[in-house]
Amino acid sequence: MYLEKMLQSQGFGSRKHCQQLIKSGAVSIDQDIMQNPKQKLNLENLVFDVYGKRYQYRENVYIALNKPTGYECSHQATHHFSVFDLFDDVLLNRGLQCVGRLDQDTTGLLLLTDDGQFLQALTHPKKHVDKVYRMQTADPISSEQIEQLKQGVELRNEQGTFAATDVQQLAACELQMTIHQGVYHQVKRMLAAVGNKVEQLHRVQIGALECPELKEGEWIYLTPEQIALARTREAI
Ligand code: URA
């Protein structure tokens, strides 16, 4: 691939802008300043510098973010920050999207990608990728409530019933459970349906991928192994 096209594919702007970047001497590989936009490159394990900042060539990006509270999963956030504020323009130019949504006050594992097929595979309602949530509730959780969650509850304006599996009470007001669909506010509505209330919600797992050790607001690129775990539909 030509250098100018490679830079464009990585989010450095239009082909013309990439040509200008190259001609200005801003781009180097292995400490050699690259001034020929039509330089052919081998993309395998390619690393390059733009204005002294190191980048690795990635055909697509797959990111795990530990989402902080107060951030919306929307490009046009209205009342809070946007999760996209946590990423630089080079990544945003690639068309980064959230893989599903978390409420602004929910924390934990949020995946972002520019790979439309990956996004579809994880969010399509028929695919039912499991998600594991941990929550603090307003009232102590009763064994009846746990039983109802396991049996399944009805949610207004949604078809069918919504059941949780692997429901574990961690403290009087702390619960972890796995859900198998992804309708709007599902966990909060399920807890409301059994007569309790979610006070704090944290996503700990998607498919078989557990949230990596990250502080709130921190993110990492997923390895191919982690991507495969996220694609595994069942939580293990
Ligand atoms: N269920 C909810 O109610 N909120 C979320 O953010 C995710 C799942």
Side-chain angles (χ1 to χ4, degrees):
M1 189 186 282
Y2 289 144
L3 175 59
E4 59 178 24
K5 187 136 189 268
M6 185 280 291
L7 285 178
Q8 189 185 11
S9 77
Q10 301 300 288
F12 287 90
S14 66
R15 180 85 71 106
K16 196 156 174 227
H17 180 72
C18 292
Q19 286 172 356
Q20 284 163 355
L21 261 183
I22 297 162
K23 288 188 178 152
S24 74
V27 183
S28 56
I29 298 180
D30 287 338
Q31 296 181 345
D32 285 339
I33 294 176
M34 310 296 283
Q35 286 190 303
N36 176 9
K38 299 273 189 267
Q39 174 73 45
K40 275 203 163 176
L41 298 172
N42 176 1
L43 301 177
E44 205 177 327
N45 299 324
L46 175 67
V47 243
F48 57 95
D49 291 356
V50 179
Y51 289 122
K53 186 167 175 202
R54 177 73 36 102
Y55 297 88
Q56 186 183 326
Y57 172 82
R58 294 172 198 272
E59 189 176 345
N60 286 108
V61 287
Y62 305 88
I63 286 172
L65 166 73
N66 183 1
K67 181 191 164 296
T69 50
Y71 283 75
E72 289 179 24
C73 292
S74 148
H75 281 282
Q76 266 95 40
T78 42
H79 296 101
H80 305 92
F81 296 113
S82 159
V83 290
F84 296 102
D85 296 342
L86 299 165
F87 300 94
D88 68 16
D89 285 346
V90 174
L91 269 173
L92 298 182
N93 286 341
R94 298 183 63 136
L96 203 59
Q97 300 289 332
C98 293
V99 180
R101 287 179 172 227
L102 290 177
D103 299 334
Q104 65 80 18
D105 55 355
T106 302
T107 56
L109 181 58
L110 178 70
L111 302 182
L112 298 104
T113 187
D114 63 352
D115 178 348
Q117 284 185 347
F118 177 76
L119 194 139
Q120 270 286 316
L122 267 85
T123 53
H124 196 281
K126 288 207 174 117
K127 301 268 167 61
H128 295 320
V129 174
D130 287 356
K131 281 149 205 120
V132 183
Y133 289 89
R134 195 168 292 168
M135 70 211 75
Q136 299 287 336
T137 55
D139 300 313
I141 302 142
S142 66
S143 46
E144 288 78 32
Q145 289 176 347
I146 292 182
E147 205 42 46
Q148 281 177 286
L149 290 168
K150 287 184 183 167
Q151 292 297 320
V153 294
E154 289 185 359
L155 301 178
R156 194 196 292 250
N157 298 330
E158 307 290 354
Q159 301 218 321
T161 53
F162 295 81
T165 53
D166 200 16
V167 184
Q168 297 171 42
Q169 187 161 11
L170 306 173
C173 293
E174 191 177 358
L175 193 74
Q176 177 169 307
M177 68 186 201
T178 302
I179 61 167
H180 309 278
Q181 302 101 329
V183 300
Y184 185 63
H185 289 334
Q186 183 170 334
V187 175
K188 291 176 185 167
R189 288 162 75 196
M190 285 175 76
L191 267 289
V194 301
N196 210 320
K197 184 171 186 286
V198 173
E199 294 280 357
Q200 271 179 39
L201 187 59
H202 182 80
R203 182 154 68 190
V204 293
Q205 191 169 329
I206 295 175
L209 176 69
E210 286 179 33
C211 190
E213 286 275 319
L214 295 167
K215 294 196 188 119
E216 280 189 21
E218 279 184 355
W219 60 269
I220 51 161
Y221 290 109
L222 294 178
T223 63
E225 293 75 24
Q226 289 171 316
I227 296 167
L229 288 174
R231 278 178 173 276
T232 306
R233 280 160 58 177
E234 271 122 55
I236 18 177

